[in-house]
Amino acid sequence: QIVGEIEDEYDWAQQPSSKPDARLLWLEDPEQSLYERDPVALPGWVALASPVNYRSPKLLVEFINGLALTDEPVEAGSAVMGFVPAWYVHENGTSPLAATELAIKELLAAGYSAANIAVLSLRGLSASVIAGDAGPMRLAGERVKRQTGFDADGNAQWSEGTLLVDTVFRFKGQAADAVVITEIDFEVLGQRERRRLFVALARARLQVALVTSERAAQAIDARLGE
């Protein structure tokens, strides 16, 4: 039980409970910190750590470990084998739209329904040509479902569509059977890129498609080859 008005998760962690026997559970994964904040200090709390990922299929966990996206290797807790991620590469400086649509079409052809696919941009909302407000209303023939704002009670409002399109930042904590990660564009797989890619990959229950620029594909391939 939490008593009083708490502005954000950091205040929540430090908020004293008005009841001495209250029990609070704080879940956090520093490897998925997208906003480069320091871990929340929880002095006196009992801490439990687990390297096991129960959502991601085994082959996807192997891919995550192959890229060394986390400081310590992840252990696969799922009994599902899954699939090796598929790559869709476009030329540097060109739009990822055609490659994104091809990835979606091939997932649809493989038997996934549009409602079970999430298209996630690795960019922020304002910089994304896929997930931004000016993004396409349809992708691969499917009507896009995108967040349009919030109602008076703070609940998210969505456009009428089936194929969910969003950013990795806003989809964090959620999951889909198949995930298309698009607008992957970097020259070096640094700490920021590692975290974003790890969060994005960990959203998938079964299959991932990576839509990357040529330079990003080269950086990823180089890490896999180390």
Side-chain angles (χ1 to χ4, degrees), residues 103-150:
I104 296 167
K105 288 178 181 178
E106 294 196 352
L107 286 172
L108 292 170
Y112 293 96
S113 69
N116 290 326
I117 300 173
V119 180
L120 305 180
S121 171
L122 215 63
R123 294 181 179 176
L125 193 65
S126 62
S128 173
V129 300
I130 300 292
D133 294 338
M137 299 304 296
R138 287 183 178 273
L139 286 171
E142 299 290 339
R143 194 170 181 181
V144 165
K145 175 183 178 181
R146 68 175 75 248
Q147 190 172 322
T148 58
F150 298 87

Side-chain angles (χ1 to χ4, degrees), residues 1-206:
Q1 181 177 354
I2 306 172
V3 179
E5 182 177 352
I6 302 168
E7 293 184 357
D8 59 32
E9 61 185 22
Y10 293 90
D11 291 336
W12 184 89
Q14 303 299 333
Q15 180 77 8
S17 171
S18 62
K19 293 188 176 182
D21 59 346
R23 302 181 67 184
L24 303 178
L25 177 64
W26 177 264
L27 299 177
E28 184 176 30
D29 184 356
E31 302 279 10
Q32 297 192 42
S33 176
L34 295 179
Y35 298 98
E36 301 180 6
R37 295 169 173 168
D38 293 330
V40 177
L42 300 171
W45 286 47
V46 175
L48 298 175
S50 173
V52 183
N53 181 320
Y54 291 97
R55 173 192 292 158
S56 303
K58 294 180 183 297
L59 289 178
L60 187 53
V61 170
E62 289 182 8
F63 185 73
I64 290 171
N65 289 334
L67 287 173
L69 298 182
T70 56
D71 292 339
E72 298 295 333
V74 179
E75 295 180 18
S78 172
V80 177
M81 186 60 67
F83 304 88
V84 174
W87 291 36
Y88 300 83
V89 181
H90 60 89
E91 294 182 1
N92 295 333
T94 64
S95 171
L97 182 58
T100 302
E101 290 198 289
L102 178 58
I104 296 167
K105 288 178 181 178
E106 294 196 352
L107 286 172
L108 292 170
Y112 293 96
S113 69
N116 290 326
I117 300 173
V119 180
L120 305 180
S121 171
L122 215 63
R123 294 181 179 176
L125 193 65
S126 62
S128 173
V129 300
I130 300 292
D133 294 338
M137 299 304 296
R138 287 183 178 273
L139 286 171
E142 299 290 339
R143 194 170 181 181
V144 165
K145 175 183 178 181
R146 68 175 75 248
Q147 190 172 322
T148 58
F150 298 87
D151 62 19
D153 296 323
N155 300 310
Q157 300 293 292
W158 299 86
S159 63
E160 294 183 3
T162 305
L163 180 68
L164 187 143
V165 176
D166 212 336
T167 67
V168 173
F169 296 88
R170 297 203 305 189
F171 199 71
K172 182 182 176 184
Q174 304 177 68
D177 288 348
V179 172
V180 177
I181 308 171
T182 187
E183 296 186 290
I184 305 174
D185 185 23
F186 48 75
E187 293 184 358
V188 178
L189 188 57
Q191 181 67 9
R192 178 182 298 178
E193 292 76 21
R194 286 173 60 210
R195 286 186 173 179
R196 291 186 183 185
L197 198 53
F198 173 53
V199 172
L201 289 166
R203 300 310 96 206
R205 299 188 189 96
L206 291 174

